[in-house]
Amino acid sequence: MQTTIRIIGIDPGLRRTGWGIIETLGNSLRFVASGTVTSDGDMDLASRLCQLHDGLAEVVHSYQPDEAAVEQTFVNKDATATLKLGQARGIAMLVPARAGLRVAEYAPNAVKKAVIGVGHGEKQQIHMMLKVLMPKAEFKGNDAADALAIAICHAHNRLSVTSRLAALMG
């Protein structure tokens, strides 16, 4: 007998961290909720990270996901921006881990491939495929849409990830 699995996808960012929650049962996907946690750009870095932590913790507490997936950080030309993104990503991984969830990580190209079929694509293609895969999905902005795409990527890959982890542990 299959069980419904609730997945939270998280798209980390220091200004805006997107989140999206889906349920998967076998091959079917169901939209649950999505949104964005924001931080105040006028505050110091530590306070902004606290805002992201508290906002994501509230989402995890409210929706009680079973598993989490976070997008991997890419390195860009601005080292300071990359470090700040890495710190926001740390919060995105810490919150579900502290809630007892296993956290999977996916490269941006793997997420795009899982949703639109190719590793490179435009945001509009992701938005369009989200509506095809989950017609009732609602998302405001790219951050929430990307988070839903990350959750879908995990739904497609979770069995192979779970099998690998079980083999390593057992």
Side-chain angles (χ1 to χ4, degrees), residues 15-150:
R15 279 186 233 133
R16 291 176 310 277
T17 291
W19 58 271
I21 300 178
I22 65 169
E23 289 182 342
T24 180
L25 177 62
N27 290 330
S28 68
L29 300 172
R30 187 178 78 79
F31 170 78
V32 175
S34 70
T36 306
V37 176
T38 59
S39 73
D40 183 346
D42 293 332
M43 296 178 83
D44 62 277
L45 179 60
S47 298
R48 294 177 74 187
L49 293 172
C50 282
Q51 288 178 320
L52 294 177
H53 175 278
D54 294 348
L56 273 178
E58 179 58 34
V59 170
V60 169
H61 176 75
S62 296
Y63 290 98
Q64 298 289 304
D66 301 304
E67 298 178 8
V70 177
E71 188 170 66
Q72 291 176 339
T73 304
F74 62 90
V75 178
N76 60 36
K77 294 174 186 165
D78 182 353
T80 302
T82 300
L83 283 171
K84 288 179 180 177
L85 177 58
Q87 290 166 325
R89 188 170 174 274
I91 297 297
M93 295 179 71
L94 173 71
V95 169
R98 292 287 306 212
L101 305 181
R102 191 174 314 155
V103 181
E105 302 173 64
Y106 297 97
N109 286 350
V111 173
K112 288 177 183 172
K113 188 169 186 171
V115 175
I116 61 176
V118 292
H120 301 281
E122 301 299 319
K123 297 283 185 190
Q124 287 310 110
Q125 289 175 294
I126 292 171
H127 291 206
M128 183 185 72
M129 281 307 296
L130 287 174
K131 285 295 193 180
V132 169
L133 294 169
M134 297 180 301
K136 295 182 180 178
E138 297 175 13
F139 47 89
K140 292 182 182 173
N142 291 334
D143 302 301
D146 287 350
L148 285 169
I150 294 161

